[in-house]
Every structure is written in structure tokens, then in C-alpha cells.
Amino acid sequence: MPIQNDAPVAALEAPAATPFARLVGVIFSSNAGTFVALFTATQLLLTLHTTRIAGEAAAAFGIITGFGALFALIANPLAGRISDRTAARLGRRRTWILVGGLSGALVYFGLAFTTEIWQVAVIWCVAQVMYNFQFAATSALLADQVPHTRRGTVSGFMGLSGALAPLVGIALVSIVTDPAVQWGVIAVTSAALSTLAVLMLRDPKHVPAAGEGGLNLKELLRSFWLNPWKHPAFGWAFLVRFLVTCAYASGTYGAFFMMDRFGFTPEDVAGPVLLTSLLAVALLALGSVVGGFVSDKLQRQKPFVVAGGAIGAAGLTLQAFAPSIEYVYVAAALLGIGTGLFFAIDSALCVRMLPSAENAGKDFAIINIANTVPQSFVPFIAPALLALGGYNALYLTLAAFGLAGAVAVARLPELGREGDPRFAAITRGE
């Protein structure tokens, strides 16, 4: 298929099978089902569990979350490719939302019964794989069924689900004390949200296109690559998301930071973690929903993405030098605003850069690698940064990533300027 530098945005659109209001609920519920499990674990439950098993467990935590993110990185593109080609009667997206959500919850509950760090690592990696099948299928709905004029709004609700989910999860586990019950409550909540999404979604059976063969090793390996020189705008969108997401990956060290700098015990840290999450979520909700709505009204995306990276960097800088917990709360508020603005609009921006409607699941999953790699990259570099300069070095380095991402947005075309030669070209075809 010839490459077109000025292909219209409508090239990625297909008639929506699900009414818009219901579709928003589907995407919100499915993403919340994934995030309530994964984010509650990384922000609190894994910290507490590894501390109970191994005492001082910051290094073990980094290894566990790092390898989990690596498995997520591998699973997400494969899941997107498999979802694109699934011809099951239930639908190509519904099938994997259901399978990924329910199997992920079942595996997740198994973490309650682990007694060794290696067991935690293995089960966490399996859970990441299952949940990423669900996440890849859900993300593809943005390209499948959401018109481009309303993608900012839907992206805002996607960002909101990612913020509310850990807040709800931490609140739920804070009212029970038994560790096994804590894991079980989150698993059941995750499964219920995933099932609700499947029940609401209309997803016609996929009819293979002419020349679309079965999946083989070559096709699966192609799930991990889209040539950034052939698709330059896609490559720049990937880089922006990677850099800014590195900044926001700092959240996984929040509980350790509070225990180290302010002397909280593992038993007492849940309260401050919940409060910082509450502040971040309240402002993230405002930033994501309002930002998405305003973006659609103005038909502008880039200013919101730039602001998301820059405000996040400011919050991390404040946290690096925080002399008291009150400063951490202010930093959490800034991070909430920045996260809301960035993730509300960045998904809509990235969908415009996708080369193919038929392969939207696979292509958007490659973009999602930019979400996943920082979850592995940051925990792997964090021990060296902590050894070099403590949490100051860690947070300031991640702030620099956020600023670099904000600068890189300049290479992407704004809505309505897709053919402007001053920006990276949006191309269609593979």
C-alpha cells in the first residue's frame, strides 16, 4: 500500500457498534478493572508484602516490578496483534477483555499465598501478562469505535480510570487488615469491573480481510516493531509518551520515600499514601475530564501534552527537596494535574498517528510499550540513582525526562495540520 503523508484522520474510523455513552462506560470500566489491580499492587500491596517477606525490600521490589513490566512489554503488543486477528463469536475485543480480566484476577489472588520473593516475582509476571491482554483490547476500542472529534473526551475518561482505580483500591485495602483478604478484595473488584465492561460492549465478530492469513512467528515478531523512519510521527509520539511516562513512574517509590525520609513504619504508611493518592486523583480527575473536553472543543492537543510533561517535572522537583510531608502533598497535587492533562490528551494524539485501522490493536499496543518500558526502566536505574544521590537524584532525573518529553511534542503535527511539512509526517500503510 502506498504511503500517504496527508492521509485524513477519518481513515482510521469505522462505524461505532456501541452507543457513545455506553462506550465511554465500557472503556472506563475495563481500564479500571486492570488498573485497580496493577496500580494498587505497585503503589501499596507489593511494598507491604515484600517488606513482610524480606524486611528491607526496596531492591527486591525494584526487581519484581521491573521484571513484571518486562513481561507486560512483551505481552501487550502480542495481545494487540492477536486481538486484531481474533474471529471469535464474542468479538475480537470482548473476548480478550473477558479472558484477560478474569484470568488476571485469579492469578492476582495467588499473590496472597506467596512466601518467597521469587514466588512473588513469578506470579506478578503472569498477572501482568493476563491484564495486558485486557488492556490491549480495551485500548484498541479508541481507534475502533470512537470518532476523532470525541477522542479527547474519551481519553480524559481513560486517564480518570487510571487515577480512580488505585485510590479505590487503596481505600478498600485500608479497611481490612488481613493480607490475604486485601489481595482477594482487589481481585474480586477487578473481575467485576472487567465483566461489566464485557456486558456493555457491542463488538461485532471480526471478518478477516482479503489476504489476511493466520498468525505465524513472523507476524508475531512484527507485533513489536513499526519502522519510525517510515512512520516518523508515530515514532515521535512513542518517544514523547516514553519520556513523560518515565517521569510519572516515580509513583511506585512513594511509600519507600515516605518511610525513608519521614520515618513512617510499614503499618503507618498506608494513610499518607492514601492522602497523596486522594490529592492526585482529585486534580487528575479535573485535569483529565476538563482537559479532554476542552481539547475537543478547541481541536487542539499539543498544548495539553506539553503542559502535562512540564507540570509533572515541577512536581517531581518539589518532591525531591521536600523537607516535610506537607510539601509531598503539594507535589502530589502538581503530579495529579500534570498526569491528568498528559494522559487525557496523549492517547487521542497517539491514535492520530496510527498507520492502520485494521491493525489498530497491534499498533496502539506498540505505543503502549512506551507506557510499559518505563515501569521496567525506572526500577532498574533507580537503585543506581538512589546510591548516587538518594531520592533527590531519582526525582530530579525523572523530572528531566518529563521536560524532554514536553520539548519533543514540538515535532508532532497539531489537529488540522497533518500535512504540514514542518512537522513529522503521519503516514498510512505498513
Side-chain angles (χ1 to χ4, degrees):
M1 179 177 178
I3 303 299
Q4 300 176 354
N5 290 336
D6 56 352
V9 173
L12 285 178
E13 293 191 13
T18 310
F20 181 75
R22 186 190 296 185
L23 184 61
V24 172
V26 167
I27 294 174
F28 181 91
S29 183
S30 183
N31 275 345
T34 300
F35 296 150
V36 76
L38 298 182
F39 290 173
T40 305
T42 56
Q43 291 189 18
L44 183 61
L45 289 185
L46 281 175
T47 299
L48 299 178
H49 194 56
T50 54
T51 301
R52 282 190 292 266
I53 291 174
E56 174 54 49
F61 175 85
I63 292 171
I64 291 166
T65 55
F67 275 104
L70 180 61
F71 273 76
L73 183 153
I74 295 169
N76 199 275
L78 289 178
R81 173 67 84 176
I82 292 169
S83 174
D84 286 337
R85 299 295 183 88
T86 294
R89 187 173 181 178
L90 190 61
R92 61 178 179 170
R93 310 306 183 196
R94 288 179 80 203
T95 297
W96 294 108
I97 292 173
L98 182 65
V99 172
L102 295 186
S103 60
L106 183 63
V107 172
Y108 186 90
F109 183 55
L111 285 163
F113 304 99
T114 54
T115 57
E116 302 287 344
I117 292 297
W118 70 266
Q119 295 171 356
V120 178
V122 169
I123 295 181
W124 179 246
C125 289
V126 176
Q128 282 276 14
V129 170
M130 297 297 99
Y131 279 122
N132 271 274
F133 267 83
Q134 178 184 3
F135 183 57
T138 305
S139 297
L141 292 172
L142 189 63
D144 286 350
Q145 298 195 32
V146 180
H148 77 275
T149 55
R150 307 188 79 174
R151 284 177 181 155
T153 298
V154 177
S155 294
F157 279 97
M158 290 173 70
L160 180 61
S161 68
L164 288 178
L167 176 62
V168 170
I170 293 171
L172 287 173
V173 301
S174 295
I175 62 178
V176 295
T177 56
D178 185 282
V181 176
Q182 290 177 329
W183 289 103
V185 165
I186 299 303
V188 170
T189 302
S190 172
L193 289 167
S194 304
T195 302
L196 177 62
V198 171
L199 293 175
M200 290 192 296
L201 178 62
R202 295 178 185 173
D203 187 21
K205 180 179 177 180
H206 172 59
V207 178
E212 181 181 306
L215 289 173
N216 52 39
L217 181 60
K218 181 179 179 181
E219 286 290 306
L220 290 175
L221 290 176
R222 287 180 63 196
S223 301
F224 297 95
W225 175 251
L226 198 66
N227 193 329
W229 288 271
K230 188 176 180 181
H231 304 287
F234 183 93
W236 280 101
F238 182 98
L239 180 64
V240 169
R241 178 169 284 202
F242 169 79
L243 290 170
V244 178
T245 304
C246 278
Y248 290 113
S250 61
T252 58
Y253 279 84
F256 286 116
F257 169 73
M258 292 180 194
M259 289 190 289
D260 178 79
R261 181 163 294 186
F262 305 117
F264 289 103
T265 66
E267 292 74 24
D268 296 334
V269 77
V273 169
L274 177 60
L275 183 53
T276 55
S277 297
L278 180 62
L279 285 169
V281 167
L283 291 165
L284 189 154
L286 181 65
S288 61
V289 176
V290 175
F293 177 78
V294 174
S295 172
D296 282 345
K297 285 294 184 182
L298 299 179
Q299 288 295 285
R300 293 290 182 268
Q301 295 172 341
K302 290 171 60 174
F304 299 90
V305 178
V306 171
I311 294 172
L316 286 169
T317 302
L318 177 61
Q319 183 151 327
F321 298 106
S324 68
I325 192 66
E326 288 77 17
Y327 286 83
V328 176
Y329 297 148
V330 176
L334 289 173
L335 288 167
I337 295 171
T339 304
L341 289 174
F342 180 77
F343 287 106
I345 312 304
D346 187 62
S347 291
L349 183 147
C350 288
V351 167
R352 280 199 298 124
M353 312 303 158
L354 300 185
S356 167
E358 284 302 311
N359 293 317
K362 183 267 292 183
D363 293 343
F364 203 82
I366 293 176
I367 286 286
N368 282 335
I369 291 176
N371 285 348
T372 308
V373 170
Q375 298 173 41
S376 180
F377 175 69
V378 171
F380 277 129
I381 67 170
L385 291 171
L386 290 171
L388 184 66
Y391 284 99
N392 288 25
L394 174 64
Y395 289 135
L396 290 176
T397 299
L398 298 182
F401 278 110
L403 285 176
V407 171
V409 177
R411 291 293 302 135
L412 294 171
E414 184 57 273
L415 277 164
R417 299 183 181 179
E418 285 80 8
D420 192 324
R422 292 175 297 175
F423 304 110
I426 300 176
T427 54
R428 307 295 183 212
E430 287 190 293

